Amino acid sequence: MARSGFFDPGDGELDLVSLILTDGLSSRLNKSLVYDKQICSDVVSFENSSEIAGDFVVWVTARSGASLAQAEQTVTEEIARLAKEGPTAAELSRAKTKWEFQYVTGLERIGGFGGKADLLNTYNTFLGDPDKFAADVQRHR
């Protein structure tokens, strides 16, 4: 799905959507596909921001003999349900806490993806200002 670029409206929210859908045992898609229906062994999602546009990716690893059509239908239904009903207060709180924890933990590294140097470069390249750490946290809150 094509969408807006880094720091555009909705960008931070999609980071939280990804956590709600696939991060942790109780996340919507893990619970449904891996534990309840047992048709997948793994579910992953991520939001990939770029300068002009980005994408939101969901991929599943189906169990042997499982129906890919059923897995796809379940993913589509869960995304539609989240879009229609929104997250619960508990889901949103958990996602915000996890995102902030991951962000701060990433800042402990100097280099690498998500480390200080990477974020300074990202902020400077996309926003023209390397000092956007506080703004990044705020948009996710």
Side-chain angles (χ1 to χ4, degrees):
M1 127 172 60
R3 50 161 227 65
S4 301
F6 185 68
F7 251 75
D8 283 350
D11 179 54
E13 289 85 342
L14 284 175
D15 288 329
L16 301 178
V17 166
S18 176
L19 292 169
I20 290 167
L21 287 174
T22 62
D23 188 74
L25 302 177
S26 64
S27 63
R28 290 184 181 211
L29 290 175
N30 266 323
K31 183 175 180 328
S32 179
L33 293 168
V34 177
Y35 297 102
D36 293 346
K37 296 179 181 178
Q38 298 187 5
I39 59 175
C40 293
S41 59
D42 187 46
V43 182
V44 177
S45 69
F46 58 91
E47 188 267 332
N48 183 34
S49 301
S50 295
E51 186 173 5
I52 297 171
D55 46 32
F56 189 89
V57 176
V58 176
W59 80 64
V60 302
T61 304
R63 293 182 191 259
S64 179
S67 166
L68 292 177
Q70 184 182 10
E72 182 179 7
Q73 179 180 358
T74 301
V75 169
T76 301
E77 288 170 354
E78 285 297 330
I79 291 172
R81 185 169 71 92
L82 181 59
K84 180 179 178 185
E85 300 171 6
T88 66
E91 286 176 323
L92 188 56
S93 176
R94 182 177 71 69
K96 287 179 179 183
T97 300
K98 283 192 169 204
W99 182 90
E100 195 163 333
F101 173 79
Q102 292 169 351
Y103 182 80
V104 170
T105 301
L107 291 176
E108 293 175 353
R109 296 185 312 274
I110 301 292
F113 293 109
K116 284 181 196 170
D118 183 45
L119 286 172
L120 285 167
N121 181 52
T122 299
Y123 298 143
N124 193 52
T125 299
F126 295 155
L127 306 172
D129 181 359
D131 188 22
K132 290 292 186 180
F133 294 100
D136 206 359
V137 171
Q138 190 57 43
R139 73 190 180 116
H140 287 86
R141 286 184 176 165

